[in-house]
Amino acid sequence: MHKIVDVDMEFDVFKENDKIASENYRMLKEHNIVSVDFMGSIGSGKTAIIIKLAEKLKIKGRKVVAIAGDVTGVDDYTRMKNSGIETINCNTGKECHLTAMGIHRKIHSMNLDEIDVLFIENVGNLVCPADFPLGTDYRVVVISTTEGDDMVRKHPGIFICSDLAILNKIDIADAVDVDPEIIVKDYESLTNGCKKILKTSAKKDVGLDSVLENLELY
């Protein structure tokens, strides 16, 4: 005979995350920090885009700090730090996404008066991060042509919850036999044309100025 156990699930994980996310947002706005949560799958180019954007902002005298989110390891953290960005590593252990509480702890370790822009690279995943806002001004989802032309159709949730989408690696679209316009049309259909998807190549510095403009950082 199977044993049946009643479990009281009064604690709402999502509600608690939203509460802390609101605290993060308030804290960052009090210090006039523009914050961006970069979501996207592994290999989409999130790290490269963050590095390129930070370089452009540095030229304009803006102080950028980045949080590198990964399940484990320091690879992305090391790449960002070596590029000259002040970077904080944030490993989640077994979690497939960053949480507002994890970011809350990192924020408290920073000198917020010396930061203009905070870039957060979420764990490489097109599902879980969608349900856990971090309290940033913008949520951006990055995909690449190397992932195929069906990414929007397969993962609509993360595109719906984001403010902006980036289709990266357009310079090799022909090589991987992907038509970027299929992705753009899927995105426009999903969002009723109310949100933008920008085509970029971080490697060739294509479209990144438009990203900064849409994040109101130019």
Side-chain angles (χ1 to χ4, degrees):
M1 180 181 293
H2 295 290
K3 183 178 181 179
I4 299 175
V5 179
D6 291 327
V7 180
D8 187 357
M9 296 293 288
E10 289 185 3
F11 184 76
D12 189 325
V13 174
F14 299 113
K15 184 176 181 179
E16 183 65 17
N17 186 86
D18 289 347
K19 176 183 176 183
I20 299 171
S22 295
E23 293 178 11
N24 291 344
Y25 180 80
R26 175 186 55 78
M27 191 182 312
L28 293 169
K29 297 319 292 180
E30 285 178 352
H31 290 82
N32 298 312
I33 297 172
V34 178
S35 53
V36 185
D37 176 12
F38 285 92
M39 305 176 290
S41 53
I42 296 172
S44 59
K46 299 187 299 297
T47 304
I49 287 174
I50 287 173
I51 290 172
K52 289 287 188 179
L53 295 181
E55 289 173 351
K56 292 175 178 292
L57 290 171
K58 183 178 180 180
I59 293 173
K60 293 185 172 293
R62 310 286 295 278
K63 174 62 182 295
V64 178
V65 172
I67 295 176
D70 269 310
V71 172
T72 187
V74 295
D75 296 79
D76 292 342
Y77 162 79
T78 300
R79 283 181 61 194
M80 287 191 229
K81 192 171 181 62
N82 287 345
S83 75
I85 307 173
E86 183 179 327
T87 312
I88 298 170
N89 200 37
C90 188
N91 289 146
T92 63
K94 295 181 179 180
E95 297 297 329
C96 56
H97 57 85
L98 292 174
T99 64
M101 176 54 76
I103 296 304
H104 191 74
R105 295 191 187 102
K106 299 302 179 182
I107 289 174
H108 276 283
S109 71
M110 304 175 186
N111 185 344
L112 299 180
D113 291 324
E114 296 183 355
I115 303 173
D116 297 311
V117 180
L118 175 63
F119 287 151
I120 301 173
E121 181 180 16
N122 218 310
V123 177
N125 191 308
L126 280 174
V127 181
C128 304
D131 294 325
F132 292 86
L134 306 177
T136 54
D137 289 298
Y138 300 99
R139 305 186 81 191
V140 177
V141 58
V142 181
I143 56 173
S144 69
T145 56
T146 57
E147 298 168 71
D149 59 19
D150 54 2
M151 299 308 292
V152 176
R153 300 193 299 275
K154 284 184 174 180
H155 304 283
I158 200 163
F159 293 97
I160 291 172
C161 81
S162 63
D163 302 296
L164 178 70
I166 295 174
L167 174 57
N168 194 35
K169 303 184 182 181
I170 59 168
D171 53 308
I172 60 172
D174 289 341
V176 295
D177 195 26
V178 166
D179 181 357
E181 293 310 313
I182 293 176
I183 300 172
V184 171
K185 288 179 181 178
D186 284 343
Y187 180 80
E188 291 176 343
S189 176
L190 178 69
T191 61
N192 296 316
C194 296
K195 298 180 181 180
K196 289 186 179 180
I197 181 167
L198 305 176
K199 291 182 282 188
T200 68
S201 168
K203 185 175 183 179
K204 295 184 178 296
D205 194 6
V206 173
L208 298 179
D209 288 333
S210 183
V211 173
L212 289 176
E213 290 170 1
N214 279 272
L215 296 176
E216 300 183 323
L217 287 170
Y218 259 3

